[in-house]
Amino acid sequence: MPGTHQVRTEITPGAVHLPRWLGPDQQRRLVEACRGWASGPVPMRHTRLPRGGVMSVQTVCVGWHWQPYRYTRTADDVNGERVAPLPGWLAELGRRALADAYRDPAAGDGYAPDTALVNFYDGQARMGMHQDKDERSGAPVVSLSIGDTCVFRFGNPVGRGKPYTDIELGSGDLFVFGGPARFAYHGVPRVRPGTGDPATGLAAGRLNITLRATGLG
Ligand code: SIN
Ligand code: MN
């Protein structure tokens, strides 16, 4: 993991951005893992929304399957299959992320993320302002980005509007939101096509992986 020279910006208390936290090899390995999950047992797809729309991002989940607005073990809105298990190395990466983000070697102790949502953004995809609130746990969310840079809007727990801060999330960036920032609204207003390095294994687009603890048994 990077040393103490790592750039670290606290956007709001509990919300921390560490640019280029993942090295090139880790990014390549994650892209490979995501490619595997995207092909099955539950294929990556555009999530259907309750009112008939579809999300512009494509998603595949591991550990627990998320659909608006709950977690289940089987992907009942896709093909009914049980999602792939969350590998131990990914949970461990989450623990290291917390230790680095909060500059406290013990910050990851006891963190046991049990789901990862893998989102793929093509050049047109966006994500509206929302809270991650389907988890029954206040444990931090760990977000890893690979590929094209995006604008990430990080707001407040009260509503979708201001105050919010727009930052650029590039390839290898870590963003953690926990503590007072855990239930802040956030979204992705735009992706910057063509900014990623194909050496990650991702020829185009943006991959984002969020680790969460569902609080479910
Ligand atoms: C999310 O809010 O679940 C995804 C955020 C991102 O793509 O950076
Ligand atoms: Mn979210």
Side-chain angles (χ1 to χ4, degrees), residues 43-81:
M44 181 173 252
R45 88 303 181 211
H46 294 276
T47 302
R48 275 194 288 265
L49 295 165
R51 290 189 188 163
V54 290
M55 292 179 72
S56 59
V57 300
Q58 297 175 63
T59 305
V60 65
C61 307
V62 299
W64 286 87
H65 177 76
W66 178 81
Q67 62 170 292
Y69 294 96
R70 64 201 168 93
Y71 287 98
T72 48
R73 285 293 191 188
T74 52
D76 305 326
D77 62 333
V78 188
N79 61 359
E81 294 292 327

PDB file of all heavy atoms in Angstrom, residues 43-81:
ATOM      1  N   PRO A  43     -25.550 -12.209 -14.649  1.00  0.00           N
ATOM      2  CA  PRO A  43     -24.882 -11.311 -15.589  1.00  0.00           C
ATOM      3  C   PRO A  43     -25.052  -9.839 -15.209  1.00  0.00           C
ATOM      4  O   PRO A  43     -26.057  -9.465 -14.604  1.00  0.00           O
ATOM      5  CB  PRO A  43     -25.568 -11.616 -16.917  1.00  0.00           C
ATOM      6  CG  PRO A  43     -26.895 -12.185 -16.552  1.00  0.00           C
ATOM      7  CD  PRO A  43     -26.710 -12.886 -15.237  1.00  0.00           C
ATOM      8  N   MET A  44     -24.079  -9.050 -15.560  1.00  0.00           N
ATOM      9  CA  MET A  44     -24.192  -7.598 -15.379  1.00  0.00           C
ATOM     10  C   MET A  44     -25.332  -7.099 -16.255  1.00  0.00           C
ATOM     11  O   MET A  44     -25.496  -7.553 -17.387  1.00  0.00           O
ATOM     12  CB  MET A  44     -22.860  -6.969 -15.797  1.00  0.00           C
ATOM     13  CG  MET A  44     -22.811  -5.477 -15.641  1.00  0.00           C
ATOM     14  SD  MET A  44     -21.137  -4.853 -15.965  1.00  0.00           S
ATOM     15  CE  MET A  44     -20.621  -4.420 -14.317  1.00  0.00           C
ATOM     16  N   ARG A  45     -26.092  -6.184 -15.738  1.00  0.00           N
ATOM     17  CA  ARG A  45     -27.234  -5.667 -16.527  1.00  0.00           C
ATOM     18  C   ARG A  45     -27.628  -4.292 -16.006  1.00  0.00           C
ATOM     19  O   ARG A  45     -27.178  -3.841 -14.969  1.00  0.00           O
ATOM     20  CB  ARG A  45     -28.413  -6.637 -16.498  1.00  0.00           C
ATOM     21  CG  ARG A  45     -29.396  -6.457 -15.345  1.00  0.00           C
ATOM     22  CD  ARG A  45     -28.760  -6.545 -13.978  1.00  0.00           C
ATOM     23  NE  ARG A  45     -29.757  -6.391 -12.917  1.00  0.00           N
ATOM     24  CZ  ARG A  45     -29.506  -5.855 -11.724  1.00  0.00           C
ATOM     25  NH1 ARG A  45     -28.302  -5.402 -11.425  1.00  0.00           N
ATOM     26  NH2 ARG A  45     -30.443  -5.771 -10.824  1.00  0.00           N
ATOM     27  N   HIS A  46     -28.502  -3.625 -16.769  1.00  0.00           N
ATOM     28  CA  HIS A  46     -29.066  -2.349 -16.324  1.00  0.00           C
ATOM     29  C   HIS A  46     -30.181  -2.666 -15.323  1.00  0.00           C
ATOM     30  O   HIS A  46     -31.139  -3.365 -15.666  1.00  0.00           O
ATOM     31  CB  HIS A  46     -29.659  -1.588 -17.505  1.00  0.00           C
ATOM     32  CG  HIS A  46     -28.641  -1.149 -18.518  1.00  0.00           C
ATOM     33  ND1 HIS A  46     -27.912   0.005 -18.386  1.00  0.00           N
ATOM     34  CD2 HIS A  46     -28.214  -1.727 -19.659  1.00  0.00           C
ATOM     35  CE1 HIS A  46     -27.089   0.138 -19.407  1.00  0.00           C
ATOM     36  NE2 HIS A  46     -27.257  -0.913 -20.202  1.00  0.00           N
ATOM     37  N   THR A  47     -30.045  -2.164 -14.107  1.00  0.00           N
ATOM     38  CA  THR A  47     -31.050  -2.427 -13.070  1.00  0.00           C
ATOM     39  C   THR A  47     -32.374  -1.752 -13.433  1.00  0.00           C
ATOM     40  O   THR A  47     -32.401  -0.566 -13.782  1.00  0.00           O
ATOM     41  CB  THR A  47     -30.552  -1.879 -11.714  1.00  0.00           C
ATOM     42  OG1 THR A  47     -29.309  -2.505 -11.412  1.00  0.00           O
ATOM     43  CG2 THR A  47     -31.547  -2.143 -10.604  1.00  0.00           C
ATOM     44  N   ARG A  48     -33.447  -2.542 -13.325  1.00  0.00           N
ATOM     45  CA  ARG A  48     -34.780  -1.980 -13.562  1.00  0.00           C
ATOM     46  C   ARG A  48     -35.263  -1.248 -12.318  1.00  0.00           C
ATOM     47  O   ARG A  48     -35.105  -1.731 -11.202  1.00  0.00           O
ATOM     48  CB  ARG A  48     -35.767  -3.094 -13.893  1.00  0.00           C
ATOM     49  CG  ARG A  48     -35.747  -3.470 -15.362  1.00  0.00           C
ATOM     50  CD  ARG A  48     -36.971  -4.315 -15.701  1.00  0.00           C
ATOM     51  NE  ARG A  48     -36.853  -5.663 -15.130  1.00  0.00           N
ATOM     52  CZ  ARG A  48     -36.370  -6.714 -15.820  1.00  0.00           C
ATOM     53  NH1 ARG A  48     -36.004  -6.572 -17.073  1.00  0.00           N
ATOM     54  NH2 ARG A  48     -36.297  -7.896 -15.258  1.00  0.00           N
ATOM     55  N   LEU A  49     -35.869  -0.103 -12.526  1.00  0.00           N
ATOM     56  CA  LEU A  49     -36.390   0.695 -11.412  1.00  0.00           C
ATOM     57  C   LEU A  49     -37.877   0.410 -11.248  1.00  0.00           C
ATOM     58  O   LEU A  49     -38.551   0.035 -12.222  1.00  0.00           O
ATOM     59  CB  LEU A  49     -36.130   2.178 -11.677  1.00  0.00           C
ATOM     60  CG  LEU A  49     -34.629   2.525 -11.693  1.00  0.00           C
ATOM     61  CD1 LEU A  49     -34.386   3.895 -12.305  1.00  0.00           C
ATOM     62  CD2 LEU A  49     -34.043   2.432 -10.294  1.00  0.00           C
ATOM     63  N   PRO A  50     -38.403   0.588 -10.019  1.00  0.00           N
ATOM     64  CA  PRO A  50     -39.790   0.190  -9.761  1.00  0.00           C
ATOM     65  C   PRO A  50     -40.811   0.881 -10.668  1.00  0.00           C
ATOM     66  O   PRO A  50     -41.833   0.319 -11.007  1.00  0.00           O
ATOM     67  CB  PRO A  50     -40.017   0.592  -8.307  1.00  0.00           C
ATOM     68  CG  PRO A  50     -38.665   0.816  -7.723  1.00  0.00           C
ATOM     69  CD  PRO A  50     -37.710   1.088  -8.839  1.00  0.00           C
ATOM     70  N   ARG A  51     -40.496   2.101 -11.121  1.00  0.00           N
ATOM     71  CA  ARG A  51     -41.483   2.804 -11.945  1.00  0.00           C
ATOM     72  C   ARG A  51     -41.303   2.566 -13.437  1.00  0.00           C
ATOM     73  O   ARG A  51     -41.829   3.296 -14.270  1.00  0.00           O
ATOM     74  CB  ARG A  51     -41.441   4.295 -11.639  1.00  0.00           C
ATOM     75  CG  ARG A  51     -41.989   4.567 -10.253  1.00  0.00           C
ATOM     76  CD  ARG A  51     -42.173   6.032 -10.004  1.00  0.00           C
ATOM     77  NE  ARG A  51     -42.520   6.284  -8.605  1.00  0.00           N
ATOM     78  CZ  ARG A  51     -42.425   7.451  -8.011  1.00  0.00           C
ATOM     79  NH1 ARG A  51     -41.991   8.500  -8.699  1.00  0.00           N
ATOM     80  NH2 ARG A  51     -42.770   7.598  -6.751  1.00  0.00           N
ATOM     81  N   GLY A  52     -40.461   1.578 -13.779  1.00  0.00           N
ATOM     82  CA  GLY A  52     -40.382   1.196 -15.193  1.00  0.00           C
ATOM     83  C   GLY A  52     -39.135   1.680 -15.909  1.00  0.00           C
ATOM     84  O   GLY A  52     -38.850   1.227 -17.010  1.00  0.00           O
ATOM     85  N   GLY A  53     -38.390   2.599 -15.288  1.00  0.00           N
ATOM     86  CA  GLY A  53     -37.155   3.052 -15.930  1.00  0.00           C
ATOM     87  C   GLY A  53     -36.037   2.047 -15.737  1.00  0.00           C
ATOM     88  O   GLY A  53     -36.213   1.015 -15.073  1.00  0.00           O
ATOM     89  N   VAL A  54     -34.904   2.320 -16.343  1.00  0.00           N
ATOM     90  CA  VAL A  54     -33.706   1.514 -16.077  1.00  0.00           C
ATOM     91  C   VAL A  54     -32.558   2.448 -15.753  1.00  0.00           C
ATOM     92  O   VAL A  54     -32.514   3.578 -16.228  1.00  0.00           O
ATOM     93  CB  VAL A  54     -33.274   0.616 -17.268  1.00  0.00           C
ATOM     94  CG1 VAL A  54     -34.243  -0.511 -17.495  1.00  0.00           C
ATOM     95  CG2 VAL A  54     -33.044   1.428 -18.520  1.00  0.00           C
ATOM     96  N   MET A  55     -31.636   1.967 -14.936  1.00  0.00           N
ATOM     97  CA  MET A  55     -30.461   2.763 -14.620  1.00  0.00           C
ATOM     98  C   MET A  55     -29.528   2.791 -15.819  1.00  0.00           C
ATOM     99  O   MET A  55     -29.420   1.810 -16.557  1.00  0.00           O
ATOM    100  CB  MET A  55     -29.750   2.177 -13.389  1.00  0.00           C
ATOM    101  CG  MET A  55     -30.571   2.326 -12.116  1.00  0.00           C
ATOM    102  SD  MET A  55     -29.792   1.621 -10.655  1.00  0.00           S
ATOM    103  CE  MET A  55     -28.453   2.800 -10.365  1.00  0.00           C
ATOM    104  N   SER A  56     -28.835   3.908 -16.021  1.00  0.00           N
ATOM    105  CA  SER A  56     -27.921   3.996 -17.168  1.00  0.00           C
ATOM    106  C   SER A  56     -26.631   3.227 -16.909  1.00  0.00           C
ATOM    107  O   SER A  56     -25.974   2.793 -17.851  1.00  0.00           O
ATOM    108  CB  SER A  56     -27.626   5.451 -17.531  1.00  0.00           C
ATOM    109  OG  SER A  56     -27.049   6.146 -16.455  1.00  0.00           O
ATOM    110  N   VAL A  57     -26.264   3.044 -15.634  1.00  0.00           N
ATOM    111  CA  VAL A  57     -25.094   2.214 -15.346  1.00  0.00           C
ATOM    112  C   VAL A  57     -25.503   0.745 -15.453  1.00  0.00           C
ATOM    113  O   VAL A  57     -26.687   0.408 -15.354  1.00  0.00           O
ATOM    114  CB  VAL A  57     -24.510   2.469 -13.929  1.00  0.00           C
ATOM    115  CG1 VAL A  57     -24.086   3.910 -13.758  1.00  0.00           C
ATOM    116  CG2 VAL A  57     -25.460   2.044 -12.843  1.00  0.00           C
ATOM    117  N   GLN A  58     -24.510  -0.114 -15.665  1.00  0.00           N
ATOM    118  CA  GLN A  58     -24.739  -1.563 -15.609  1.00  0.00           C
ATOM    119  C   GLN A  58     -24.127  -2.075 -14.319  1.00  0.00           C
ATOM    120  O   GLN A  58     -23.062  -1.596 -13.927  1.00  0.00           O
ATOM    121  CB  GLN A  58     -24.100  -2.249 -16.807  1.00  0.00           C
ATOM    122  CG  GLN A  58     -24.708  -1.797 -18.134  1.00  0.00           C
ATOM    123  CD  GLN A  58     -23.969  -2.407 -19.293  1.00  0.00           C
ATOM    124  OE1 GLN A  58     -23.959  -3.622 -19.456  1.00  0.00           O
ATOM    125  NE2 GLN A  58     -23.333  -1.570 -20.087  1.00  0.00           N
ATOM    126  N   THR A  59     -24.811  -3.022 -13.691  1.00  0.00           N
ATOM    127  CA  THR A  59     -24.413  -3.449 -12.348  1.00  0.00           C
ATOM    128  C   THR A  59     -24.377  -4.964 -12.225  1.00  0.00           C
ATOM    129  O   THR A  59     -25.226  -5.660 -12.781  1.00  0.00           O
ATOM    130  CB  THR A  59     -25.428  -2.894 -11.314  1.00  0.00           C
ATOM    131  OG1 THR A  59     -25.527  -1.484 -11.474  1.00  0.00           O
ATOM    132  CG2 THR A  59     -25.018  -3.216  -9.878  1.00  0.00           C
ATOM    133  N   VAL A  60     -23.388  -5.428 -11.467  1.00  0.00           N
ATOM    134  CA  VAL A  60     -23.404  -6.812 -10.992  1.00  0.00           C
ATOM    135  C   VAL A  60     -22.972  -6.768  -9.529  1.00  0.00           C
ATOM    136  O   VAL A  60     -22.173  -5.919  -9.143  1.00  0.00           O
ATOM    137  CB  VAL A  60     -22.491  -7.733 -11.841  1.00  0.00           C
ATOM    138  CG1 VAL A  60     -21.012  -7.371 -11.724  1.00  0.00           C
ATOM    139  CG2 VAL A  60     -22.699  -9.200 -11.451  1.00  0.00           C
ATOM    140  N   CYS A  61     -23.547  -7.647  -8.731  1.00  0.00           N
ATOM    141  CA  CYS A  61     -23.274  -7.623  -7.293  1.00  0.00           C
ATOM    142  C   CYS A  61     -22.612  -8.928  -6.874  1.00  0.00           C
ATOM    143  O   CYS A  61     -22.861  -9.975  -7.471  1.00  0.00           O
ATOM    144  CB  CYS A  61     -24.584  -7.503  -6.508  1.00  0.00           C
ATOM    145  SG  CYS A  61     -25.613  -6.135  -7.039  1.00  0.00           S
ATOM    146  N   VAL A  62     -21.812  -8.863  -5.831  1.00  0.00           N
ATOM    147  CA  VAL A  62     -21.298 -10.089  -5.216  1.00  0.00           C
ATOM    148  C   VAL A  62     -21.607 -10.051  -3.721  1.00  0.00           C
ATOM    149  O   VAL A  62     -21.745  -8.981  -3.143  1.00  0.00           O
ATOM    150  CB  VAL A  62     -19.782 -10.303  -5.453  1.00  0.00           C
ATOM    151  CG1 VAL A  62     -19.477 -10.423  -6.932  1.00  0.00           C
ATOM    152  CG2 VAL A  62     -18.946  -9.205  -4.846  1.00  0.00           C
ATOM    153  N   GLY A  63     -21.727 -11.228  -3.122  1.00  0.00           N
ATOM    154  CA  GLY A  63     -22.065 -11.309  -1.696  1.00  0.00           C
ATOM    155  C   GLY A  63     -23.566 -11.264  -1.475  1.00  0.00           C
ATOM    156  O   GLY A  63     -24.192 -12.261  -1.137  1.00  0.00           O
ATOM    157  N   TRP A  64     -24.126 -10.105  -1.671  1.00  0.00           N
ATOM    158  CA  TRP A  64     -25.581  -9.922  -1.667  1.00  0.00           C
ATOM    159  C   TRP A  64     -25.957  -9.215  -2.953  1.00  0.00           C
ATOM    160  O   TRP A  64     -25.188  -8.388  -3.455  1.00  0.00           O
ATOM    161  CB  TRP A  64     -26.029  -9.054  -0.489  1.00  0.00           C
ATOM    162  CG  TRP A  64     -25.994  -9.732   0.840  1.00  0.00           C
ATOM    163  CD1 TRP A  64     -24.923  -9.813   1.679  1.00  0.00           C
ATOM    164  CD2 TRP A  64     -27.072 -10.417   1.500  1.00  0.00           C
ATOM    165  NE1 TRP A  64     -25.252 -10.496   2.822  1.00  0.00           N
ATOM    166  CE2 TRP A  64     -26.568 -10.879   2.742  1.00  0.00           C
ATOM    167  CE3 TRP A  64     -28.403 -10.687   1.178  1.00  0.00           C
ATOM    168  CZ2 TRP A  64     -27.353 -11.592   3.654  1.00  0.00           C
ATOM    169  CZ3 TRP A  64     -29.177 -11.390   2.074  1.00  0.00           C
ATOM    170  CH2 TRP A  64     -28.651 -11.845   3.293  1.00  0.00           C
ATOM    171  N   HIS A  65     -27.139  -9.513  -3.457  1.00  0.00           N
ATOM    172  CA  HIS A  65     -27.647  -8.856  -4.660  1.00  0.00           C
ATOM    173  C   HIS A  65     -28.488  -7.651  -4.259  1.00  0.00           C
ATOM    174  O   HIS A  65     -29.387  -7.769  -3.424  1.00  0.00           O
ATOM    175  CB  HIS A  65     -28.510  -9.850  -5.453  1.00  0.00           C
ATOM    176  CG  HIS A  65     -29.129  -9.255  -6.678  1.00  0.00           C
ATOM    177  ND1 HIS A  65     -28.402  -9.015  -7.831  1.00  0.00           N
ATOM    178  CD2 HIS A  65     -30.393  -8.817  -6.921  1.00  0.00           C
ATOM    179  CE1 HIS A  65     -29.211  -8.479  -8.731  1.00  0.00           C
ATOM    180  NE2 HIS A  65     -30.418  -8.344  -8.207  1.00  0.00           N
ATOM    181  N   TRP A  66     -28.177  -6.498  -4.865  1.00  0.00           N
ATOM    182  CA  TRP A  66     -28.994  -5.313  -4.590  1.00  0.00           C
ATOM    183  C   TRP A  66     -29.943  -5.062  -5.747  1.00  0.00           C
ATOM    184  O   TRP A  66     -29.564  -5.157  -6.911  1.00  0.00           O
ATOM    185  CB  TRP A  66     -28.117  -4.073  -4.396  1.00  0.00           C
ATOM    186  CG  TRP A  66     -28.937  -2.847  -4.150  1.00  0.00           C
ATOM    187  CD1 TRP A  66     -29.497  -2.451  -2.961  1.00  0.00           C
ATOM    188  CD2 TRP A  66     -29.332  -1.867  -5.120  1.00  0.00           C
ATOM    189  NE1 TRP A  66     -30.211  -1.279  -3.139  1.00  0.00           N
ATOM    190  CE2 TRP A  66     -30.123  -0.908  -4.451  1.00  0.00           C
ATOM    191  CE3 TRP A  66     -29.096  -1.713  -6.489  1.00  0.00           C
ATOM    192  CZ2 TRP A  66     -30.681   0.205  -5.105  1.00  0.00           C
ATOM    193  CZ3 TRP A  66     -29.651  -0.613  -7.147  1.00  0.00           C
ATOM    194  CH2 TRP A  66     -30.427   0.328  -6.453  1.00  0.00           C
ATOM    195  N   GLN A  67     -31.188  -4.833  -5.405  1.00  0.00           N
ATOM    196  CA  GLN A  67     -32.121  -4.277  -6.372  1.00  0.00           C
ATOM    197  C   GLN A  67     -32.899  -3.209  -5.626  1.00  0.00           C
ATOM    198  O   GLN A  67     -32.967  -3.231  -4.402  1.00  0.00           O
ATOM    199  CB  GLN A  67     -33.054  -5.349  -6.948  1.00  0.00           C
ATOM    200  CG  GLN A  67     -33.939  -5.995  -5.907  1.00  0.00           C
ATOM    201  CD  GLN A  67     -35.001  -6.873  -6.545  1.00  0.00           C
ATOM    202  OE1 GLN A  67     -35.900  -6.388  -7.208  1.00  0.00           O
ATOM    203  NE2 GLN A  67     -34.874  -8.165  -6.318  1.00  0.00           N
ATOM    204  N   PRO A  68     -33.447  -2.240  -6.355  1.00  0.00           N
ATOM    205  CA  PRO A  68     -34.144  -1.154  -5.641  1.00  0.00           C
ATOM    206  C   PRO A  68     -35.325  -1.726  -4.851  1.00  0.00           C
ATOM    207  O   PRO A  68     -36.219  -2.228  -5.502  1.00  0.00           O
ATOM    208  CB  PRO A  68     -34.613  -0.234  -6.750  1.00  0.00           C
ATOM    209  CG  PRO A  68     -33.817  -0.660  -7.972  1.00  0.00           C
ATOM    210  CD  PRO A  68     -33.506  -2.090  -7.800  1.00  0.00           C
ATOM    211  N   TYR A  69     -35.309  -1.646  -3.577  1.00  0.00           N
ATOM    212  CA  TYR A  69     -34.359  -1.038  -2.675  1.00  0.00           C
ATOM    213  C   TYR A  69     -34.094  -1.991  -1.534  1.00  0.00           C
ATOM    214  O   TYR A  69     -34.417  -1.719  -0.399  1.00  0.00           O
ATOM    215  CB  TYR A  69     -34.934   0.317  -2.175  1.00  0.00           C
ATOM    216  CG  TYR A  69     -35.046   1.283  -3.338  1.00  0.00           C
ATOM    217  CD1 TYR A  69     -36.244   1.445  -4.031  1.00  0.00           C
ATOM    218  CD2 TYR A  69     -33.918   1.990  -3.773  1.00  0.00           C
ATOM    219  CE1 TYR A  69     -36.318   2.310  -5.126  1.00  0.00           C
ATOM    220  CE2 TYR A  69     -34.002   2.851  -4.868  1.00  0.00           C
ATOM    221  CZ  TYR A  69     -35.198   3.001  -5.530  1.00  0.00           C
ATOM    222  OH  TYR A  69     -35.280   3.818  -6.623  1.00  0.00           O
ATOM    223  N   ARG A  70     -33.498  -3.152  -1.877  1.00  0.00           N
ATOM    224  CA  ARG A  70     -33.226  -4.170  -0.863  1.00  0.00           C
ATOM    225  C   ARG A  70     -32.141  -5.120  -1.352  1.00  0.00           C
ATOM    226  O   ARG A  70     -31.805  -5.152  -2.552  1.00  0.00           O
ATOM    227  CB  ARG A  70     -34.502  -4.946  -0.537  1.00  0.00           C
ATOM    228  CG  ARG A  70     -35.058  -5.725  -1.687  1.00  0.00           C
ATOM    229  CD  ARG A  70     -36.535  -6.045  -1.495  1.00  0.00           C
ATOM    230  NE  ARG A  70     -37.107  -6.547  -2.719  1.00  0.00           N
ATOM    231  CZ  ARG A  70     -37.212  -7.817  -3.047  1.00  0.00           C
ATOM    232  NH1 ARG A  70     -36.783  -8.755  -2.224  1.00  0.00           N
ATOM    233  NH2 ARG A  70     -37.732  -8.185  -4.187  1.00  0.00           N
ATOM    234  N   TYR A  71     -31.629  -5.894  -0.393  1.00  0.00           N
ATOM    235  CA  TYR A  71     -30.619  -6.904  -0.687  1.00  0.00           C
ATOM    236  C   TYR A  71     -31.222  -8.298  -0.540  1.00  0.00           C
ATOM    237  O   TYR A  71     -31.972  -8.565   0.405  1.00  0.00           O
ATOM    238  CB  TYR A  71     -29.457  -6.796   0.302  1.00  0.00           C
ATOM    239  CG  TYR A  71     -28.572  -5.595   0.076  1.00  0.00           C
ATOM    240  CD1 TYR A  71     -28.740  -4.435   0.826  1.00  0.00           C
ATOM    241  CD2 TYR A  71     -27.560  -5.625  -0.880  1.00  0.00           C
ATOM    242  CE1 TYR A  71     -27.915  -3.334   0.632  1.00  0.00           C
ATOM    243  CE2 TYR A  71     -26.734  -4.527  -1.080  1.00  0.00           C
ATOM    244  CZ  TYR A  71     -26.914  -3.397  -0.322  1.00  0.00           C
ATOM    245  OH  TYR A  71     -26.092  -2.313  -0.525  1.00  0.00           O
ATOM    246  N   THR A  72     -30.870  -9.170  -1.471  1.00  0.00           N
ATOM    247  CA  THR A  72     -31.280 -10.571  -1.389  1.00  0.00           C
ATOM    248  C   THR A  72     -30.083 -11.431  -1.798  1.00  0.00           C
ATOM    249  O   THR A  72     -29.148 -10.933  -2.420  1.00  0.00           O
ATOM    250  CB  THR A  72     -32.456 -10.865  -2.357  1.00  0.00           C
ATOM    251  OG1 THR A  72     -32.136 -10.327  -3.643  1.00  0.00           O
ATOM    252  CG2 THR A  72     -33.747 -10.254  -1.859  1.00  0.00           C
ATOM    253  N   ARG A  73     -30.114 -12.723  -1.444  1.00  0.00           N
ATOM    254  CA  ARG A  73     -29.011 -13.604  -1.852  1.00  0.00           C
ATOM    255  C   ARG A  73     -29.125 -13.993  -3.320  1.00  0.00           C
ATOM    256  O   ARG A  73     -28.131 -14.251  -3.987  1.00  0.00           O
ATOM    257  CB  ARG A  73     -29.012 -14.875  -0.984  1.00  0.00           C
ATOM    258  CG  ARG A  73     -28.501 -14.658   0.417  1.00  0.00           C
ATOM    259  CD  ARG A  73     -27.020 -14.319   0.460  1.00  0.00           C
ATOM    260  NE  ARG A  73     -26.506 -14.382   1.823  1.00  0.00           N
ATOM    261  CZ  ARG A  73     -25.285 -13.990   2.182  1.00  0.00           C
ATOM    262  NH1 ARG A  73     -24.441 -13.483   1.302  1.00  0.00           N
ATOM    263  NH2 ARG A  73     -24.898 -14.089   3.431  1.00  0.00           N
ATOM    264  N   THR A  74     -30.348 -14.077  -3.816  1.00  0.00           N
ATOM    265  CA  THR A  74     -30.547 -14.460  -5.211  1.00  0.00           C
ATOM    266  C   THR A  74     -31.025 -13.251  -6.016  1.00  0.00           C
ATOM    267  O   THR A  74     -31.709 -12.370  -5.482  1.00  0.00           O
ATOM    268  CB  THR A  74     -31.577 -15.590  -5.323  1.00  0.00           C
ATOM    269  OG1 THR A  74     -32.765 -15.204  -4.608  1.00  0.00           O
ATOM    270  CG2 THR A  74     -31.051 -16.898  -4.732  1.00  0.00           C
ATOM    271  N   ALA A  75     -30.660 -13.241  -7.274  1.00  0.00           N
ATOM    272  CA  ALA A  75     -30.972 -12.100  -8.131  1.00  0.00           C
ATOM    273  C   ALA A  75     -32.343 -12.299  -8.769  1.00  0.00           C
ATOM    274  O   ALA A  75     -32.461 -12.627  -9.952  1.00  0.00           O
ATOM    275  CB  ALA A  75     -29.888 -11.947  -9.191  1.00  0.00           C
ATOM    276  N   ASP A  76     -33.364 -12.079  -7.977  1.00  0.00           N
ATOM    277  CA  ASP A  76     -34.723 -12.407  -8.416  1.00  0.00           C
ATOM    278  C   ASP A  76     -35.216 -11.526  -9.566  1.00  0.00           C
ATOM    279  O   ASP A  76     -36.128 -11.902 -10.285  1.00  0.00           O
ATOM    280  CB  ASP A  76     -35.671 -12.330  -7.220  1.00  0.00           C
ATOM    281  CG  ASP A  76     -35.190 -13.236  -6.077  1.00  0.00           C
ATOM    282  OD1 ASP A  76     -34.614 -14.309  -6.383  1.00  0.00           O
ATOM    283  OD2 ASP A  76     -35.357 -12.857  -4.904  1.00  0.00           O
ATOM    284  N   ASP A  77     -34.607 -10.356  -9.738  1.00  0.00           N
ATOM    285  CA  ASP A  77     -35.010  -9.475 -10.844  1.00  0.00           C
ATOM    286  C   ASP A  77     -34.150  -9.698 -12.092  1.00  0.00           C
ATOM    287  O   ASP A  77     -34.295  -8.978 -13.077  1.00  0.00           O
ATOM    288  CB  ASP A  77     -34.929  -8.008 -10.405  1.00  0.00           C
ATOM    289  CG  ASP A  77     -33.503  -7.602 -10.018  1.00  0.00           C
ATOM    290  OD1 ASP A  77     -32.722  -8.496  -9.600  1.00  0.00           O
ATOM    291  OD2 ASP A  77     -33.157  -6.412 -10.144  1.00  0.00           O
ATOM    292  N   VAL A  78     -33.232 -10.692 -12.029  1.00  0.00           N
ATOM    293  CA  VAL A  78     -32.389 -10.969 -13.202  1.00  0.00           C
ATOM    294  C   VAL A  78     -32.646 -12.409 -13.663  1.00  0.00           C
ATOM    295  O   VAL A  78     -33.459 -12.640 -14.547  1.00  0.00           O
ATOM    296  CB  VAL A  78     -30.883 -10.765 -12.894  1.00  0.00           C
ATOM    297  CG1 VAL A  78     -30.058 -10.874 -14.189  1.00  0.00           C
ATOM    298  CG2 VAL A  78     -30.642  -9.398 -12.250  1.00  0.00           C
ATOM    299  N   ASN A  79     -31.984 -13.389 -13.025  1.00  0.00           N
ATOM    300  CA  ASN A  79     -32.169 -14.779 -13.458  1.00  0.00           C
ATOM    301  C   ASN A  79     -32.403 -15.734 -12.297  1.00  0.00           C
ATOM    302  O   ASN A  79     -32.381 -16.945 -12.477  1.00  0.00           O
ATOM    303  CB  ASN A  79     -30.952 -15.247 -14.278  1.00  0.00           C
ATOM    304  CG  ASN A  79     -29.662 -15.211 -13.464  1.00  0.00           C
ATOM    305  OD1 ASN A  79     -29.676 -14.812 -12.294  1.00  0.00           O
ATOM    306  ND2 ASN A  79     -28.563 -15.617 -14.067  1.00  0.00           N
ATOM    307  N   GLY A  80     -32.597 -15.177 -11.096  1.00  0.00           N
ATOM    308  CA  GLY A  80     -32.914 -16.016  -9.945  1.00  0.00           C
ATOM    309  C   GLY A  80     -31.726 -16.729  -9.323  1.00  0.00           C
ATOM    310  O   GLY A  80     -31.869 -17.424  -8.323  1.00  0.00           O
ATOM    311  N   GLU A  81     -30.553 -16.553  -9.915  1.00  0.00           N
ATOM    312  CA  GLU A  81     -29.357 -17.251  -9.398  1.00  0.00           C
ATOM    313  C   GLU A  81     -28.827 -16.564  -8.150  1.00  0.00           C
ATOM    314  O   GLU A  81     -29.003 -15.356  -7.963  1.00  0.00           O
ATOM    315  CB  GLU A  81     -28.244 -17.264 -10.466  1.00  0.00           C
ATOM    316  CG  GLU A  81     -28.557 -18.080 -11.698  1.00  0.00           C
ATOM    317  CD  GLU A  81     -28.618 -19.571 -11.427  1.00  0.00           C
ATOM    318  OE1 GLU A  81     -27.870 -20.059 -10.559  1.00  0.00           O
ATOM    319  OE2 GLU A  81     -29.429 -20.247 -12.090  1.00  0.00           O
TER     320      GLU A  81
END
